[in-house]
Amino acid sequence: MIPCYWGFRVEIRNDEEEKIFRTLKRPFYICHGEYEFLQKELAVKIASFLLPDDEKDSGFTMIDGSESNAMAAIYAAASERSLFSSTQIIVVDNAQAIELVRNPESVGKTKVPETERYSNWSDFARLVRIAENPDSGTHIIFIFGDELKTTASKSGKSRSEKAIQRLFPTLEEKSLVIHFRRMYDEDMSDWIMKRALRTGLRLNVEQCDMLLELAGKDVRHLSNEIEKIATFARESSRVETRDLRRIVTSSEDIYVNYMIDYMLDGRGKPALVMLERSFDGGAHPVFILTVVVSRLRALWQAKYLLDKGCFPKLPNEYKFGGKKILPENIARISDADRSVLTADARTSILSRTPFGLFQILKHAARFSLEQIEESLRYAASVDRRLKGISRPKHGTDEIMIQNFIVDLAKGVTLEANPN
């Protein structure tokens, strides 16, 4: 590999992200600390910053660190240069999950060489070589999720079995490290104000505090609420305080939305975990079912438009093409097709933000209209049983919702046709 430029390690805070785009491009970027959602969001911005203007649409390689072969996948991606781009961007999500795996035969033994102590040591050794001699056209962005801890040993070497933690002493002088600190109420309110300004929305201190109180502290939910308020304000940069109380929704339903995302990806187990958290938070089964049905109806609208050919070339990523293509396609949708979606334009998916519409279209591409309609009929049956309209009532309300979610998730896995 050809070594590229590096200097001394640079570490900044997440509220200083503008500094990222004023520094020399580095082979490694490490996001760590709190707020996984914000880390992932910044990783996409960094990838866009690193890609040349004429290669923005070529995207980047995404690797999930929770997969058992993650280290081998990183090495393979870093070793193979793209035929279509001079710049290779690799984004490693869940980097904190990449671990050295102890060899069962070494358990209980002392002074066992690391080559024998860990069954995947050879994969880790390849990562060390990449860290020591990075390629000039390759950039790796690690989304670590947790806090990276500086080593306490006198040798300066980490003994952690988390691969990136152990690799950090080698990585740090070639990296730009972005630390996402925990935000307390005052910091969070300041973050809301800055976030709103990016959308052209000016919120005063009182409104920021009110938004924090109404919506909760989940940054993903807050980001969605800020975008929703900005859309409501439209051309104006201001919004009345009385309107905030009417527009903003509580974050109590955030776990329900996570649950639906997992369900539509065919991931039944994590969907059930989010469902349990929703129950723990006091969400009523009828409320949960209502939110699911609302998403299914949105999926039906999206699939109808896809089948009509209204979005012929849907890109894989919103930031790499979707942001430009969606408004152009929306403008070409006929009045006849718009009227089929819903009688009330306010409930049409076309009234949503382009990003929100893109997410619905991406999920809808995996289903047929018949599958979505069957799911809606299933939901109607569960609703009748929950309300005692239909007898007999099978099990508790919670069990009926659990069965419903699992069946829908299994349907995605077994029956959906990915586009």
Side-chain angles (χ1 to χ4, degrees), residues 45-283:
K45 292 181 183 179
I46 294 172
S48 180
F49 163 68
L50 295 171
L51 286 166
D53 290 339
D54 59 346
E55 297 176 8
K56 297 285 187 190
D57 294 331
S58 60
F60 48 82
T61 302
M62 177 69 79
I63 295 173
D64 187 349
S66 63
E67 298 291 338
S68 59
N69 65 337
M71 284 195 282
I74 295 169
Y75 179 77
S79 302
E80 297 178 6
R81 297 300 302 275
S82 172
L83 298 176
F84 308 101
S85 173
S86 61
T87 305
Q88 175 84 331
I89 309 295
I90 303 166
V91 178
V92 183
D93 191 13
N94 297 314
Q96 76 282 1
I98 307 175
E99 295 185 342
L100 292 163
V101 179
R102 281 189 176 269
N103 192 332
E105 297 176 0
S106 69
V107 176
K109 297 181 180 180
T110 58
K111 297 182 179 180
V112 179
E114 290 179 313
T115 53
E116 298 176 16
R117 186 182 305 160
Y118 301 108
S119 60
N120 59 349
W121 181 260
S122 59
D123 289 334
F124 179 73
R126 294 189 182 101
L127 286 190
V128 172
R129 291 201 293 272
I130 292 174
E132 291 175 341
N133 297 292
D135 189 281
S136 59
T138 299
H139 305 268
I140 304 179
I141 305 168
F142 294 102
I143 304 171
F144 192 75
D146 296 335
E147 289 278 348
L148 266 169
K149 300 174 183 177
T150 55
T151 178
S153 66
K154 293 181 181 180
S155 65
K157 295 182 179 179
S158 172
R159 295 179 181 178
S160 172
E161 292 185 347
K162 289 183 178 292
I164 306 306
Q165 183 73 64
R166 180 174 287 216
L167 198 61
F168 188 60
T170 306
L171 284 173
E172 60 178 342
E173 289 189 358
K174 310 171 187 70
S175 300
L176 194 152
V177 183
I178 304 102
H179 184 208
F180 286 73
R181 301 177 304 166
R182 181 180 178 184
M183 293 185 287
Y184 295 93
D185 286 0
E186 186 176 342
D187 301 320
M188 189 75 80
S189 183
D190 185 54
W191 175 83
I192 290 172
M193 184 176 291
K194 291 177 180 177
R195 184 88 179 191
L197 282 172
R198 291 182 186 178
T199 68
L201 183 66
R202 295 182 178 275
L203 299 178
N204 58 41
V205 175
E206 180 185 354
Q207 290 175 326
C208 292
D209 291 344
M210 179 184 294
L211 179 56
L212 184 61
E213 180 182 351
L214 293 173
K217 296 180 181 180
D218 185 286
V219 291
R220 177 181 178 180
H221 183 67
L222 282 168
S223 299
N224 290 337
E225 291 303 301
I226 291 168
E227 185 178 351
K228 183 169 70 175
I229 295 166
T231 302
F232 172 84
R234 295 180 183 272
E235 302 300 326
S236 174
S237 62
R238 302 284 184 181
V239 63
E240 296 294 331
T241 299
R242 64 175 179 273
D243 291 324
L244 279 183
R245 294 188 180 278
R246 182 166 57 89
I247 300 168
V248 176
T249 59
S250 168
S251 60
E252 291 177 354
D253 61 349
I254 192 67
Y255 290 125
V256 180
N257 288 318
Y258 281 146
M259 178 201 72
I260 296 172
D261 289 339
Y262 286 132
M263 181 188 73
L264 295 179
D265 284 333
R267 301 172 64 187
K269 188 174 181 179
L272 286 178
V273 172
M274 292 298 107
L275 177 61
E276 192 64 30
R277 291 185 181 178
S278 300
F279 286 147
D280 291 342

Side-chain angles (χ1 to χ4, degrees), residues 350-415:
L350 298 179
S351 66
R352 303 193 179 199
T353 63
F355 179 78
L357 175 59
F358 177 81
Q359 298 302 318
I360 296 171
L361 289 168
K362 198 164 71 169
H363 279 305
R366 305 184 64 183
F367 298 89
S368 67
L369 276 177
E370 291 75 17
Q371 288 172 318
I372 299 171
E373 289 168 355
E374 179 59 30
S375 297
L376 285 167
R377 285 192 289 271
Y378 188 175
S381 173
V382 174
D383 183 63
R384 287 195 296 272
R385 295 201 299 272
L386 285 174
K387 296 175 180 177
I389 299 172
S390 177
R391 303 284 182 176
K393 185 175 179 180
H394 304 292
T396 65
D397 292 351
E398 289 78 7
I399 290 175
M400 281 192 287
I401 291 292
Q402 287 172 350
N403 290 338
F404 174 67
I405 297 303
V406 169
D407 287 345
L408 263 61
K410 188 166 67 173
V412 174
T413 305
L414 299 180
E415 300 177 347

